């Protein structure tokens, strides 16, 4: 199934609650929550208090994307405040299996992410242990960047690696995805689409509905 995960990094934080209600109502499947520590990526976004306070306004799956060093330190905290799925970066830890085990210990979905410069085959040893892989389609750290065209081949490669092991693993893509390029991205083999600017710029409900229509085709 194709899934839309709306990235609140591009929301208007003065209206965060009502904008989350709006994407929820319009049919987004997941809420994508980017956590940045100023170390793994240059920016600092938001943390636990924000996530905790928005947990009450929607039942949609909280898809937490950790862009932080040594993510194992915080898995328990993110689970306790309402994360349903936790994705960490392969580049941010020496022991990815320990992080995956920690996420599963709390019964949550685990995702492993790679930056655009990290070879796709590096995820191979973890494919049978995670629910999702995240192929970053921009350099992590900021919303509103341009989709990197080499990502098409990287998505195809990830899909092949998953099929070679006959696994059922979601492929998430994140960065520079809009209504006008999402079809081609789905065709390459991605099935969980993250969009920030593509959702929160312009008419939010309309953007969600148009994405959902294409995803359902
Ligand atoms: C970037 C984040 C993305 C970001 C995507 O590091 O991981 O989730 O919100 O934003 P857009 O869709 O604007 O590229
Ligand atoms: Zn993200």
């Amino acid at each position: 199934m194709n899934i839309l995960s709306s990235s609140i990094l591009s929301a208007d934080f003065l209206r965060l609650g009502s904008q989350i209600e709006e994407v929820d109502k319009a049919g987004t499947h997941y809420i994508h929550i980017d956590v940045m520590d100023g170390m793994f990526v240059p920016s600092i976004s938001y943390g636990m208090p924000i996530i905790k306070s928005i947990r009450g306004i929607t039942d949609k799956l909280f898809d937490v994307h950790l862009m932080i060093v040594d993510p194992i330190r915080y898995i328990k905290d993110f689970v306790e405040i309402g994360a349903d799925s936790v994705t960490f970066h392969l580049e941010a830890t020496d022991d990815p299996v320990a992080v995956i085990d920690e996420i599963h210990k709390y019964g949550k979905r685990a995702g492993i992410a790679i930056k655009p410069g990290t070879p796709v085959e590096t995820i191979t040893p973890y494919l049978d242990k995670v629910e999702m892989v995240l192929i970053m389609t921009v350099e992590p750290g900021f919303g509103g960047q341009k989709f990197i065209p080499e990502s098409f081949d990287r998505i195809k490669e990830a899909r092949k690696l998953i099929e070679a092991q006959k696994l059922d693993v979601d492929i998430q893509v994140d960065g520079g995805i809009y209504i006008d390029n999402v079809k081609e991205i789905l065709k390459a083999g991605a099935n969980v689409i993250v969009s920030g600017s593509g959702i929160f710029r312009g008419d939010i409900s309309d953007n969600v509905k148009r994405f959902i229509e294409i995803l359902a085709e």
Side-chain angles (χ1 to χ4, degrees), residues 91-141:
E91 304 90 352
T93 174
D94 295 331
D95 193 350
V97 176
V99 184
I100 296 166
D101 288 347
E102 176 79 357
I103 299 167
H104 285 161
K105 189 170 101 188
Y106 301 106
K108 303 302 172 187
R109 296 171 62 84
I112 190 160
I114 51 171
K115 301 201 275 185
T118 302
V120 176
E121 67 265 20
T122 56
I123 57 172
T124 307
Y126 314 106
L127 288 177
D128 64 346
K129 298 176 178 62
V130 292
E131 281 68 43
M132 184 167 82
V133 299
L134 166 53
I135 307 292
M136 287 303 299
T137 48
V138 297
E139 222 33 80

Side-chain angles (χ1 to χ4, degrees), residues 7-10 32 34 36 41 65 67 134 136 138-146 174-178 194-199 201:
S7 173
I8 59 167
L9 191 63
S10 300
H32 185 84
D34 291 297
M36 307 178 183
V41 290
H65 175 195
M67 285 162 273
L134 166 53
M136 287 303 299
V138 297
E139 222 33 80
F142 305 93
Q145 303 182 77
K146 225 181 135 307
D174 182 8
I177 303 173
Y178 295 87
V194 177
S195 182
S197 311
I199 298 285
R201 271 193 214 152

